[in-house]
Amino acid sequence: MRTDGAPAMERTFVMIKPDGVAAGLTGEIIGRIERRGLDIVAIRKGGMERAVAEEHYVEHRERPFFGELVEFISSDPVVMLVVEGQGAIVAMRTMMGPTDPQDAPPGTIRGDYALDVGQNVVHGSDGPESAERELALHFGVLVAA
Ligand SMILES: Nc1nc2c(ncn2[C@@H]2O[C@H](COP(=O)(O)OP(=O)(O)O)[C@@H](O)[C@H]2O)c(=O)[nH]1
Ligand SMILES: [Mg+2]
């Protein structure tokens, strides 16, 4: 939420999950990010190792769906992005829509392309600390600043 002035320039970590890549949504999602005016600073496609997926989702390690989540994310290729712009973290979260696609309005990525909370097409960092942590984990410390 904006409380004062223009949002700061920032970087966020975005991932097109295996279901999004498999559905051929990579270009569509990247197009939405670009058309919003955000800058794609780095991009990498590949499989995510299980240990990296466990670290990525470490905050959820006690949740009942953790095993299923890690298994899914490391099952097939993902596309990882460093996205930069004014207020980029909130801008991406708003574009993605709520975690459960059943609650996501049309016009959001999840509201347009997903139905199942376990396969919701896209990930985006939920705040400055998680953005820094996730960027460092997936792209190294140089892009995290
Ligand atoms: N199977 C299952 N997956 C879930 C559930 N809740 C969250 N997830 C998955 O775990 C991911 C991480 O959860 P969270 O950080 O709360 O949501 P996000 O930040 O909106 O992606 C979500 O994107 C979902 O894919 C659930 O109740 N069941
Ligand atoms: Mg999250």
Side-chain angles (χ1 to χ4, degrees):
M1 275 323 126
R2 288 181 69 166
T3 52
D4 57 344
M9 285 293 289
E10 57 193 13
R11 287 181 173 182
T12 186
F13 175 73
V14 175
M15 172 169 58
I16 305 170
K17 297 184 179 184
D19 53 326
V21 174
L25 291 169
T26 300
E28 171 64 28
I29 293 168
I30 288 174
R32 287 182 182 218
I33 294 169
E34 287 187 310
R35 292 194 295 274
R36 184 70 195 271
L38 295 166
D39 189 27
I40 293 164
V41 172
I43 180 167
R44 180 156 57 88
K45 181 176 181 178
M48 187 183 294
E49 285 181 32
R50 186 177 192 91
V52 176
E54 286 174 351
E55 182 59 31
H56 175 82
Y57 281 122
V58 66
E59 74 191 80
H60 298 305
R61 66 188 176 283
E62 306 298 342
R63 307 283 288 277
F65 58 82
F66 182 69
E68 186 185 332
L69 177 60
V70 166
E71 176 65 28
F72 173 62
I73 288 297
S74 56
S75 63
D76 282 303
V78 296
V79 173
M80 291 176 273
L81 306 161
V82 182
V83 174
E84 182 179 84
Q86 267 195 6
I89 296 169
V90 168
M92 276 309 311
R93 294 287 296 190
T94 307
M95 288 168 68
M96 287 160 50
T99 303
D100 187 344
Q102 296 288 333
D103 300 328
T108 64
I109 295 168
R110 287 164 169 170
D112 287 345
Y113 302 120
L115 291 168
D116 184 338
V117 68
Q119 304 208 354
N120 57 8
V121 173
V122 69
H123 166 87
S125 307
D126 66 4
E129 293 78 20
S130 57
E132 189 173 346
R133 187 185 74 82
E134 292 168 8
L135 289 168
L137 176 65
H138 299 292
F139 282 93
V141 289
L142 288 180
V143 301

